[in-house]
Amino acid sequence: MNTQETETPMRHTAFAQADRPRRNGPAGAAVVLGVIGLSTSIVFVGGLIGVVGLALGIAGLVTAGRTGVGRGRAVAGVVTSALAIVVSVLAAVLLLWYADRTQDCYQPDSLRQYRQCVQQHLTGN
């Protein structure tokens, strides 16, 4: 029996695995969800997407610590997801503040009256 025939497939498999690039799936997904969450955070959906992106970013950081791959993407995913959450919360607070300040103006007879009412309530005149 030829010993080269039995060693060749193992050596070939080892090279194929070494040539294949290693990836950090949770880190890549966290970046994508963080960017989508940040771009949709004004309509409050981004906050929910940001929570998922934050969880995947943390998982990506754990994976990067173990494998050494994808740390930058994981950090970017955590940062963009956290920003998406913060912007969504700020947008909600701003909307609630605006609604509270202008609640007397919600049943105007015309758009012009609504604008005048809002301007009076926001400027204090």
Side-chain angles (χ1 to χ4, degrees), residues 79-102:
V79 169
T80 55
S81 297
L83 283 173
I85 295 167
V86 168
V87 170
S88 289
V89 168
L90 288 176
V93 167
L94 183 64
L95 180 68
L96 290 173
W97 173 82
Y98 178 81
D100 183 54
R101 292 287 301 237
T102 61

Side-chain angles (χ1 to χ4, degrees), residues 4-123:
Q4 288 181 345
E5 290 177 16
T6 57
E7 291 180 24
T8 304
M10 294 183 87
R11 203 172 29 184
H12 186 268
T13 305
F15 285 127
Q17 289 176 354
D19 291 342
R20 187 177 58 187
R22 298 185 320 185
R23 296 190 181 168
N24 187 339
V31 170
V32 170
L33 289 177
V35 170
I36 291 171
L38 193 56
S39 64
T40 59
S41 60
I42 298 298
V43 292
F44 312 116
V45 176
L48 299 174
I49 296 171
V51 170
V52 176
L54 186 63
L56 285 172
I58 292 170
L61 283 173
V62 170
T63 302
R66 193 170 16 117
T67 64
V69 176
R71 179 165 167 62
R73 285 188 306 246
V75 169
V78 167
V79 169
T80 55
S81 297
L83 283 173
I85 295 167
V86 168
V87 170
S88 289
V89 168
L90 288 176
V93 167
L94 183 64
L95 180 68
L96 290 173
W97 173 82
Y98 178 81
D100 183 54
R101 292 287 301 237
T102 61
Q103 64 185 349
D104 296 337
C105 304
Y106 289 143
Q107 295 182 2
D109 294 333
S110 70
L111 183 60
R112 185 176 187 187
Q113 284 180 332
Y114 175 75
R115 278 193 229 150
Q116 289 174 348
C117 181
V118 168
Q119 185 176 13
Q120 287 174 352
H121 279 83
L122 293 179
T123 60

